[in-house]
Amino acid sequence: MKARWLIAPLAIWASQAQAEKDFCADRPGKSNPTCTLDAGKVQAEASLIDWSHSRDSDTIEDETLVGDLLVRYGLTRSTELRAGFTSYGIDRTRDRHSGEIDRQTGSGDLTLGVRQSLRDGGPSRGAAISLQPFVTLPVGRTPIGAGTWGAGVIVPAQVFLSKAWSITVDPEVDAAPNEDGAGRHLAYAMVANLRWKATQSLQLAGETYVRRDDDPGGHETKASFDATAAYQLGKNAQIDVAAYAGLNPATPRWQLLLGVAQRF
């Protein structure tokens, strides 16, 4: 009888350990996955470097972000809490005519959100879908921070074509901060991501991104093609790279990122 009382808890613990979710990071790329963390799990994801380059007939701009951090916490098996913050950013703009350089530094805003899994899918379970509302709080300063609060919602949906291939789409609608820091306006975006699990450790993806921003100071549409690669280090860590190519003048010509993720 005593042996049964000892074995039963061990069996339950082993069953729970086997049911642990696969490692799943938000990065790299602009698309959001549908996955949520197991209850009680914490995951930190950070850009070690995030550099973007823009130019037009008048200016050349380079923006570098360091320590762009996302922390995720599994509240239940289908719900996670999220907090994101840009630790430090440098914005450098050079006037192509005068050669004058303007350099500004600062931190970004704080983003708080929730991801709720509405349907947990997989190669053998079909499509997956989640709901991801968020709010941004103006703790940073321009040009890295927005200067006022904003809010939005993303609805990631993933279709599994096979064990190796999947498609994710991410429609998004925002009450985005106005560029002058006073008030908000409508902005909406869509990402379409095709992901290939090349090996157990390596995932490659290509995606297209479009965002329409109806700022009162000037409406703008950004579009890019993105290529990403992520390599999983064991069961709980990942290193990744990404390159974004702008498809129109309103979008940075290039953006290069290197980052890591760790589950605890």
Side-chain angles (χ1 to χ4, degrees), residues 6 10 40 44 48 75 83 121-122 133-134 177 191-192 203 206 213 226 233 240 252:
L6 291 173
L10 292 175
L48 302 179
L75 188 63
F134 64 90
V191 187
Q203 292 193 55
D213 197 300
D226 313 329
L233 305 169
D240 56 74

Side-chain angles (χ1 to χ4, degrees), residues 169-184:
V169 294
D170 290 69
E172 176 180 350
V173 178
D174 299 345
N178 292 344
E179 188 175 1
D180 63 7
R184 278 145 295 281

Side-chain angles (χ1 to χ4, degrees), residues 199-215:
T199 69
Q200 284 297 108
S201 301
L202 177 64
Q203 292 193 55
L204 306 175
E207 65 184 18
T208 55
Y209 167 81
V210 178
R211 179 179 176 86
R212 176 64 177 177
D213 197 300
D214 291 338
D215 193 294

Side-chain angles (χ1 to χ4, degrees), residues 141-155:
R141 65 180 185 181
T142 58
I144 309 302
T148 187
W149 68 270
V153 62
I154 306 171
V155 187

